[in-house]
Amino acid sequence: QVPLVESGGGLVHVGDSLRLSCASSGRTFSSYYMGWFRQAPGKEREFVARINWSGAGTYYADSVKGRFTISRDNAKNTSYLQISTLKPEDTAIYYCAAGNWAQGTLEWHYWGQGTQVTVSS
């Protein structure tokens, strides 16, 4: 099991920056890819970013490239999502997930409860 708890969300203004955290109490955190997803009101959940086991490899959705940065600290069992220059369309519930590759597919096995980010103009 990889329990995940997100934090760092809140009400922010356009142009602000925010750092979301995803903490795990599991002892196998470093053996999982970590990912961030978001779900805006009335929309399906979408992929935002992922990071490999060591933190050396990252991948982003085109819609967030240049503004979002994913990172991890395996010593602290925590993943981060730094968001800069926030826009109203970034308003969503942000979820972190832990997963691994299986038969060529990155499967997300564990999910946090989500943290709300609301961007006010």
Side-chain angles (χ1 to χ4, degrees):
Q1 291 288 325
V2 184
L4 301 172
V5 179
E6 301 96 335
S7 61
L11 176 63
V12 294
H13 294 94
V14 170
D16 285 351
S17 296
L18 196 65
R19 188 177 79 161
L20 306 180
S21 299
C22 173
S24 174
S25 58
R27 292 179 292 178
T28 58
F29 176 82
S30 61
S31 65
Y32 288 90
Y33 268 62
M34 295 301 297
W36 284 90
F37 296 75
R38 66 183 180 183
Q39 186 167 18
K43 296 186 177 181
E44 294 186 353
R45 186 163 55 190
E46 65 172 353
F47 166 79
V48 172
R50 72 173 191 238
I51 190 167
N52 71 353
W53 310 282
S54 68
T58 58
Y59 182 79
Y60 298 90
D62 288 342
S63 59
V64 305
K65 282 181 181 177
R67 293 194 303 119
F68 287 35
T69 303
I70 188 172
S71 61
R72 68 189 298 162
D73 185 339
N74 287 338
K76 295 182 178 180
N77 285 358
T78 302
S79 174
Y80 305 97
L81 185 68
Q82 179 74 39
I83 310 173
S84 62
T85 320
L86 278 152
K87 303 176 180 180
E89 53 264 41
D90 294 322
T91 294
I93 300 174
Y94 284 74
Y95 299 90
C96 69
N100 260 317
W101 292 94
Q103 298 180 335
T105 300
L106 183 52
E107 298 181 351
W108 300 103
H109 302 293
Y110 304 103
W111 293 83
Q113 83 290 346
T115 185
Q116 175 73 50
V117 174
T118 303
V119 184
S120 171
S121 56

